[in-house]
Amino acid sequence: MKQSERIGAKIAYIFSHNHRYIERALESYNLKGPMFAFLLTLSHKDGCSQECLARYLKFSKATATRVITTLEKQGYVYREKDEDDRRIYRVFISDEGRGLIPAINSALQEWNDIFLSDLSDEEEQIFRNLLDKTKNTLVEFDRKSSKQMKNNYQISG
């Protein structure tokens, strides 16, 4: 590290503010925590399995089940057993849930506008490029780690 700064602390601060802003903006819909992320994902990946949702959003299966159960009780999603594999539940966004997508997108856009307000267009583009680059680094790290874990399991299993 070039300085004794903790990048993780800055990222955590930004994440915390993002989380609070989105929760406040969506509180009238009773959406808390990652619930909005599940609805957004289902709006373009409707019918995927609970496990697929958990993996895609990087949540545990238990967290995904809790979130989906809550969204189902609120009438925003529904589940159906997969016709080919009865052990799998497919999750679908309801019409009521789909109706929340514009409000979610609006809240996210408002947050982005606030968050990026002090950056010039050029600085914003550089920032976005750096975020993409670091995200891609982590995706590759996850891929290699997953491959290594599979190899270790095969050797010991």
Side-chain angles (χ1 to χ4, degrees):
M1 229 184 309
K2 294 176 185 158
Q3 298 176 353
S4 62
E5 62 182 316
R6 290 180 30 227
I7 293 172
K10 292 177 182 183
I11 293 169
Y13 184 83
I14 292 167
F15 177 81
S16 174
H17 274 270
N18 175 61
H19 177 78
R20 279 194 311 240
Y21 184 87
I22 300 302
E23 266 201 3
R24 282 188 201 131
L26 300 173
E27 70 185 340
S28 63
Y29 305 105
N30 203 21
L31 295 178
K32 298 189 182 332
M35 294 166 76
F36 79 93
F38 280 79
L39 288 174
L40 273 180
T41 302
L42 286 169
S43 73
H44 64 273
K45 290 184 175 288
D46 205 23
C48 65
S49 70
Q50 286 183 205
E51 186 174 342
C52 173
L53 275 171
R55 256 194 334 270
Y56 181 79
L57 293 169
K58 304 288 188 216
F59 287 105
S60 70
K61 290 179 190 178
T63 297
T65 299
R66 276 194 307 276
V67 169
I68 292 165
T69 298
T70 302
L71 288 169
E72 189 174 36
K73 286 178 184 173
Q74 293 175 327
Y76 296 144
V77 302
Y78 60 95
R79 290 184 270 199
E80 292 180 358
K81 285 196 181 227
D82 185 274
E83 291 181 15
D84 297 326
D85 186 342
R86 304 298 285 168
R87 299 169 295 175
I88 297 174
Y89 278 98
R90 300 273 172 205
V91 185
F92 299 88
I93 191 168
S94 69
D95 289 340
E96 189 175 352
R98 194 167 298 286
L100 296 181
I101 299 304
I104 293 168
N105 284 328
S106 177
L108 292 171
Q109 184 60 54
E110 289 170 8
W111 167 251
N112 283 349
D113 292 345
I114 292 166
F115 181 66
L116 301 170
S117 64
D118 283 343
L119 300 181
S120 68
D121 290 345
E122 182 182 351
E123 289 171 327
E124 180 181 337
Q125 191 56 54
I126 291 168
F127 182 69
R128 288 178 183 275
N129 290 342
L130 291 170
L131 287 174
D132 287 341
K133 189 173 183 177
T134 55
K135 178 187 174 203
N136 291 339
T137 298
L138 293 176
V139 167
E140 182 62 17
F141 174 81
D142 287 348
R143 188 190 65 74
K144 287 179 180 176
S145 295
S146 177
K147 185 177 179 182
Q148 183 63 41
M149 285 176 55
K150 286 179 184 175
N151 288 341
N152 289 345
Y153 178 75
Q154 290 173 349
I155 291 169
S156 64

